[in-house]
Amino acid sequence: MPDTDAPANPLLVSTRNAHKIGEIRAILGPRFLVSDLASLPDLPEVEETGDTFEENATLKAVAASMLFEGWVIADDSGLEVDALGGAPGVLSARYAGEKANDAANNDLLLRNLLPFRAEERTARFRCVIVLARNGRKLAAFSGTVEGGILGRPRGAGGFGYDPLFVPLGHSESFAQLGSDVKNGMSHRGSALRALAAWNGWG
Ligand code: ITT
């Protein structure tokens, strides 16, 4: 039987993306006391120079864990579109430029996909969560969700590419399906459930 009186594990999430933090809190629930980089104002911006989600998640998690006593995770995630050779991939946040916002990234994706028919617009979201402590990477957990890219945005929920992404087996976008449905099947949900099941929590 779960010990409902066990204290929550404090967990710093090395991110500046408020949408990610909201999803991470909702997915992990009360077992974890989640804080974000607002509690670590001295951490300089970490350059995401890696070629893979795991490399970038490691850079973000290890950097924060050198300044913070305790468990630290970082989430690196993005959208891989098959017709575009896996782009935007690790560049998902910066697809339309270094300071691009979600609308500009979505516009560019739609333009690049114009030549492709609906059945050619297959894609997946991928998320890698890296757990670190005292400057050392301890483990990595990943999740994916398969789907397709619409011809125009639909829905107002979520963030990033959610208005364009319809998960396999559904007819509505992540932005239309709502956070509970999204979190139950998302790349981030799968990776975080694997993190919660990690056998090192004690
Ligand atoms: P941090 O590095 O501070 O965590 P970031 O937004 O820069 O924040 P990433 O480098 O991991 O994070 O880029 C993730 C981008 O991928 C994000 O900005 C979205 O464009 C896209 N993305 C990731 N997960 C998504 C999701 O669940 N729904 C929609 N878009 C998502």
Side-chain angles (χ1 to χ4, degrees):
M1 200 150 115
D3 179 359
T4 48
D5 292 331
N9 288 302
L11 184 65
L12 174 74
V13 185
S14 178
T15 183
R16 301 193 190 277
N17 183 325
H19 298 284
K20 278 188 187 177
I21 279 286
E23 290 191 1
I24 290 169
R25 281 209 174 95
I27 293 164
L28 289 177
R31 223 185 107 195
F32 293 88
L33 197 62
V34 173
S35 59
D36 63 18
L37 289 181
S39 62
L40 216 61
D42 293 339
L43 182 73
E45 189 76 36
V46 178
E47 285 226 33
E48 298 188 29
T49 52
D51 294 326
T52 64
F53 294 111
E54 183 162 344
E55 282 169 24
N56 284 335
T58 303
L59 290 171
K60 293 186 276 190
V62 168
S65 79
M66 292 197 271
L67 294 183
F68 178 83
E69 269 307 300
W71 304 109
V72 176
I73 61 168
D75 163 319
D76 204 64
S77 48
L79 181 70
E80 298 172 345
V81 180
D82 296 319
L84 303 177
V90 292
L91 297 178
S92 290
R94 304 166 261 160
Y95 190 39
E98 206 52 48
K99 297 263 183 274
N101 60 17
D102 290 345
N105 288 332
N106 285 356
D107 280 353
L108 180 61
L109 182 63
L110 286 178
R111 263 185 282 132
N112 288 342
L113 282 177
L114 273 178
F116 298 96
R117 297 191 306 272
E119 59 274 23
E120 297 173 312
R121 299 162 75 110
T122 53
R124 74 204 51 76
F125 276 121
R126 189 179 299 280
C127 174
V128 177
I129 300 279
V130 164
L131 174 69
R133 196 165 175 138
N134 299 329
R136 280 184 47 231
K137 172 184 181 176
L138 300 178
F141 308 90
S142 58
T144 57
V145 56
E146 299 287 332
I149 304 298
L150 292 166
R152 61 179 175 81
R154 285 198 340 225
F159 71 102
Y161 300 93
D162 282 344
L164 295 179
F165 183 84
V166 175
L168 205 61
H170 290 258
S171 53
E172 293 184 305
S173 74
F174 262 171
Q176 293 173 299
L177 286 168
S179 56
D180 286 351
V181 176
K182 177 186 172 185
N183 292 342
M185 71 171 85
S186 76
H187 52 316
R188 185 162 296 108
S190 301
L192 289 170
R193 281 185 284 277
L195 168 82
W198 182 59
N199 59 15
W201 291 121

